[in-house]
């Protein structure tokens, strides 16, 4: 059994959809005449479902909520209430707001159970089937549909709902390539659609019946099945003209497109009369097709292009495909899959004409639309999978709560049975309860004590950690202070050495000066600085090494002295006094150090050296 082409059959359950304006006007006139509340609610729900199928979702929600409000005025829970929830759920399923959809399904179930009304339960289950199908849960869809069917008390009285369910089942088994089941359910859908007053439902079933017989004809090639294909489509087309406003344009256009495709596929399309029938049928279909239906537009122009190709009229074939592409590409949110198919045909046609530049252009557009299609499908799949997971999680939680409630119920019955045994049993249960209560209190007291003890232990551990942290911080501060004192003492020694150097210079002109002694003292001074450097390195082992590593030019001994002074936080004046030089000299040295470290004007030298230390 072959898959159904997308333009042959829409599996979804939009039955009362896209009726003509005069049909909706007639429904509004009924509402304007102030009918009985039950009648007004029914008409409001008809309008809401029509708006939903027409993708006029704000109007659909407004009308459905109005019907819900009026239903609740009659009573908090009734069949009208459940139907309103059912329509609202379908609206939010269509708009992919799965959380709101599930919310209204749950409300429908709750209301149906309060009423103890199996028909209301059937509507809730049908709404659940719609959501499950949208979330690709075919097993859940089939289960909900069968439950809904079994809960309809009188299928003849509820012929429209019954027809919807059988139509839905037909779609499922068609997807599963089960020809026998598909034929069985479409015949049942036809039976109940004929009993209902919904002409659009009946027209949809006729179109679906023709699809089923395509499977038989392709297997056997018998003419009787070919007639069975075309006759239901003719019935749909005739109904559109016979019942103006009650058959949606999509239903009518879909039947015409199907008929044209069957002419093209199963008849001798080389014959002029067949070609003319195809063209006339497609013309009528395109005139009736809503601009939002990309599949029908693409199918119609695609077949016209195919006819032109058969006549070797390549410009006309390209014109039809280009027209289809232009109409669809202008939409704010086009159907990318159909656009890609049309562009693919344009690529083949341009290649056949030898216009490779245009073929390449169309191929680039295919790539762009393919990326958009992939992103759109990925987002939609992710959203559906997330919804499936959340709903499954909630269902498991509800099931667990239900099992717990059932268990509690069983315990309650058991308790009642034990009490009914008699006095002895009553005394036994009382004593058992007393001891259980005593044990529970003791256990609770023990748990409270353990909890308090644990809390005290945690508090003690936190205080101990805080104490250790404070001690560690104190030790760190003491160590830092000690380090600074050591560096200050060593630098003080260096200062004394500088003083001795100055004395040496002053005494150099005096005859009594012992030059050798002064040189030894100067050498001693250098050794003292090396010792100071050693002590600094003990406390800051990497300080001078890090300075040399960070410098872009070699640092002299004097440079290292300045860095040590700056690390200790001495300002320019203090350093000048220690070295017995002018402040200007200190500033020049600091400027030179910034150059050696390759620092910009905004960088603070002192902070930079402290970060290195």
């Amino acid at each position: 059994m072959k898959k159904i082409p997308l333009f042959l059959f829409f599996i979804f359950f939009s039955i009362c959809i896209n009726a003509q304006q005069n049909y909706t006007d007639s429904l509004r006139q009924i509402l304007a005449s102030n009918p009985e509340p039950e009648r007004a609610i029914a008409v409001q729900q008809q309008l809401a479902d029509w708006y939903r199928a027409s993708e006029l979702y704000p109007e659909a929600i407004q009308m459905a909520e109005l019907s819900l409000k009026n239903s609740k005025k009659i009573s908090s829970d009734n069949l009208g209430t459940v139907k309103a929830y059912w329509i609202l759920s379908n609206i939010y399923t269509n708009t992919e707001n799965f959380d709101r959809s599930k919310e209204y399904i749950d409300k429908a179930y709750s209301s149906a159970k309060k009423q103890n009304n199996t028909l209301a339960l059937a509507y809730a289950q049908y709404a659940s089937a719609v959501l499950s199908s949208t979330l690709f849960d075919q097993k859940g869809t089939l289960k909900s549909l069968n439950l809904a069917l079994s809960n309809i008390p009188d299928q003849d009285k509820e012929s429209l709902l019954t027809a919807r369910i059988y139509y839905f089942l037909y779609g499922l088994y068609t997807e599963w390539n089960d020809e026998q089941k598909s034929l069985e359910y479409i015949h049942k859908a036809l039976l109940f659609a004929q009993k209902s007053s919904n002409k659009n439902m009946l027209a949809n079933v006729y179109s679906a019946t023709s699809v089923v017989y395509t499977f038989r004809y392709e297997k056997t090639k018998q003419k009787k099945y070919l007639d069975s294909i075309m006759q239901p489509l003719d019935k749909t087309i005739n109904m559109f003209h016979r019942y103006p406003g009650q058959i949606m344009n999509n239903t009518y256009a879909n039947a015409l497109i199907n008929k044209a495709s069957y002419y093209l596929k199963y008849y001798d399309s080389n014959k002029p009369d067949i070609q003319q029938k195809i063209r006339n049928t497609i013309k009528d279909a395109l005139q009736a097709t809503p601009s939002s239906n990309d599949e029908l537009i693409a199918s119609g122009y695609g077949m016209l292009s195919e006819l032109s190709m058969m006549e070797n009229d390549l410009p006309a074939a390209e014109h039809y495909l280009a027209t289809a592409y232009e109409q669809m590409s202008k939409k704010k949110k086009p159907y990318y899959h159909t656009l890609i198919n049309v562009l693919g045909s344009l690529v083949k046609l341009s290649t056949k004409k030898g216009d490779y530049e245009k073929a390449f252009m169309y191929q680039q557009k295919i790539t762009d639309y393919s990326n958009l299609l992939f992103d759109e499908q990925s987002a939609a799949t992710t959203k559906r999978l997330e919804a499936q997971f959340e709903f499954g999680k909630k269902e498991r939680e509800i099931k667990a709560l239900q099992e717990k409630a059932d268990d509690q119920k069983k315990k309650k019955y058991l308790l009642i049975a034990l009490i009914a045994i008699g006095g002895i049993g009553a005394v036994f249960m009382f004593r058992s309860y007393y001891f259980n209560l005593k044990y529970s209190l003791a256990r609770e007291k023990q748990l409270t004590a353990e909890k308090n003890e644990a809390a005290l232990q945690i508090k003690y551990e936190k205080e101990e950690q805080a104490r250790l942290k404070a001690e560690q911080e104190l030790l760190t501060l003491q160590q830092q202070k000690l380090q600074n004192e050591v560096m200050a003492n060593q630098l003080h020694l260096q200062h004394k050495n500088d003083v001795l150097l100055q004395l040496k210079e002053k005494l150099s002109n005096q005859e009594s000066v012992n030059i050798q002694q002064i040189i030894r003292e100067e050498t001693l001074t250098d050794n003292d600085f090396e010792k100071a450097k050693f002590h600094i390195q003990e406390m800051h082992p990497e300080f001078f090494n890090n300075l040399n590593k960070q410098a872009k030019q070699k640092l002299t001994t004097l440079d290292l002295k300045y860095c040590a002074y700056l690390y200790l936080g001495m300002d320019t004046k203090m350093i000048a006094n220690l070295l017995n030089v002018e402040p200007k000299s200190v500033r020049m040295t600091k400027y030179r150090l910034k150059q050696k470290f390759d620092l910009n004007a905004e960088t603070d030298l002192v902070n930079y050296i402290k970060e290195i230390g």
Side-chain angles (χ1 to χ4, degrees), residues 414-436:
L414 178 60
L415 181 62
I416 294 173
L418 291 174
I419 293 175
I421 292 175
I424 297 176
V427 172
F428 175 78
M429 290 298 297
F430 174 79
R431 289 177 62 83
S432 175
Y433 172 76
Y434 172 76
F435 285 119
N436 285 336

Side-chain angles (χ1 to χ4, degrees), residues 146-295:
N146 286 326
L147 287 173
L149 201 59
S150 65
N151 280 318
I152 300 175
D154 189 339
Q155 293 185 353
D156 288 335
K157 287 184 178 180
E158 285 295 324
S159 56
L160 181 56
L161 176 60
T162 306
R164 289 175 187 265
I165 294 172
Y166 281 127
Y167 187 75
F168 206 154
L169 287 167
Y170 151 77
L172 278 179
Y173 282 101
T174 301
E175 283 288 292
W176 296 335
N177 297 322
D178 190 333
E179 178 184 346
Q180 183 178 355
K181 285 287 186 180
S182 296
L183 189 61
E184 174 186 349
Y185 285 121
I186 200 60
H187 283 163
K188 290 183 178 180
L190 178 61
L191 175 66
F192 287 97
Q194 289 171 337
K195 293 180 180 181
S196 75
S197 60
N198 192 303
K199 304 303 180 184
N200 193 67
M201 174 77 238
L202 182 58
N204 273 282
V205 174
Y206 278 140
S207 294
T209 303
S210 72
V211 174
V212 175
Y213 281 108
T214 61
F215 306 139
R216 293 288 178 89
Y217 177 75
E218 289 180 357
K219 281 184 177 180
T220 63
K221 301 299 180 183
Q222 295 181 19
K223 187 179 181 302
K224 64 178 182 178
Y225 291 124
L226 184 59
D227 294 336
S228 298
I229 292 172
M230 305 304 280
Q231 288 172 0
L233 294 176
D234 290 334
K235 289 181 179 180
T236 299
I237 295 167
N238 291 334
M239 285 183 66
F240 179 83
H241 297 291
R242 184 178 177 185
Y243 302 101
Q246 297 189 48
I247 310 296
M248 69 175 186
N249 283 356
N250 267 335
T251 303
Y252 172 64
N254 185 58
L256 290 169
I257 289 294
N258 286 356
K259 187 173 182 179
S261 68
Y262 295 147
Y263 274 131
L264 187 63
K265 186 175 182 180
Y266 300 132
Y267 290 79
D268 187 358
S269 54
N270 290 316
K271 292 182 178 181
D273 60 327
I274 297 298
Q275 290 184 358
Q276 191 60 42
K277 285 182 179 180
I278 294 172
R279 292 183 189 278
N280 292 338
T281 305
I282 293 173
K283 179 182 176 182
D284 293 339
L286 291 176
Q287 288 178 348
T289 300
S291 60
S292 61
N293 198 323
D294 288 355
E295 294 85 359

Side-chain angles (χ1 to χ4, degrees), residues 9 31 87 101-102 115 119 157 196 200 220 238 241 250 275 311 318-319 422 448 469-470 479 486 493 518 578:
F9 168 65
L31 293 177
I87 295 171
S101 176
K102 187 65 166 61
Q115 300 173 50
L119 179 58
K157 287 184 178 180
S196 75
N200 193 67
T220 63
N238 291 334
H241 297 291
N250 267 335
Q275 290 184 358
E311 297 171 352
E318 184 179 13
H319 170 74
T448 302
K469 184 178 179 181
Q479 184 182 15
V486 170
L493 289 174
I518 292 174
L578 284 172

